Amino acid sequence: MLSPKKVTHRKVFKGRMTGAAHRGSSIAFGQYALKAVGCGWMSARQIEAARIAINRKVKRGGKMWIRVFPDKSYTKKPAETRMGKGKGSPEGWVAVIKPGRILYELSGVDADLAREALRLAANKLPFPTKIIELDTTL
């Protein structure tokens, strides 16, 4: 599972996910990409599940880039605990995803295989996505 080696603060504010992504919103490495259409938190487990789904489909063919990293901790209080007594302890790591963010990129495989692999990855994610291609007809 992905997680940062070292962080400045163990607990962070919840934050807001308003607006579109400016950074990481265009294809930089591959030919095909999975782009977020909605916003949400993408947990380290979801990043890993989608990565495995892509790798199983392409079977060592092509190259894949993961363009997100879970660098925000989220906290959870124990079950059956009364309100108050401070914030809960860190539970896991998430990446904050805004609309327009590129999540995964693929190259070195044919178009149908890439679309199918990215579709399988999209099924693992908690927000709507779309598959985009780099225009090579310039």
Side-chain angles (χ1 to χ4, degrees):
M1 229 63 69
L2 292 171
S3 67
K5 287 191 183 91
K6 189 174 162 185
V7 288
T8 311
H9 302 287
R10 280 178 59 234
K11 299 177 184 178
V12 294
F13 289 149
K14 193 174 285 186
R16 294 287 173 266
M17 288 177 275
T18 59
H22 299 293
R23 290 173 175 225
S25 59
S26 60
I27 297 179
F29 305 104
Q31 183 74 31
Y32 308 96
L34 188 65
K35 188 175 199 169
V37 178
C39 63
W41 281 357
M42 192 170 171
S43 72
R45 285 174 173 272
Q46 289 163 344
I47 294 170
E48 184 69 7
R51 182 192 71 81
I52 289 168
I54 292 170
N55 280 340
R56 281 204 179 130
K57 191 66 186 176
V58 298
K59 294 185 184 134
R60 290 197 303 266
K63 178 137 176 62
M64 180 184 59
W65 291 267
I66 303 171
R67 297 281 307 274
V68 290
F69 186 81
D71 55 356
K72 178 188 182 83
S73 67
Y74 69 93
T75 61
K76 196 171 182 184
K77 294 192 76 151
E80 299 178 10
T81 305
R82 291 187 177 188
M83 294 288 102
K85 305 275 192 289
K87 193 172 182 177
S89 57
E91 187 74 14
W93 298 92
V94 295
V96 178
I97 306 297
K98 291 183 174 185
R101 181 70 194 236
I102 300 290
L103 308 172
Y104 296 93
E105 291 187 29
L106 266 175
S107 71
V109 292
D110 65 317
D112 292 333
L113 185 62
R115 280 192 210 100
E116 181 62 20
L118 292 172
R119 186 190 65 79
L120 291 172
N123 290 335
K124 310 285 183 203
L125 304 179
F127 41 78
T129 57
K130 68 178 178 181
I131 297 164
I132 58 171
E133 294 180 30
L134 192 64
D135 189 24
T136 56
T137 59
L138 297 175

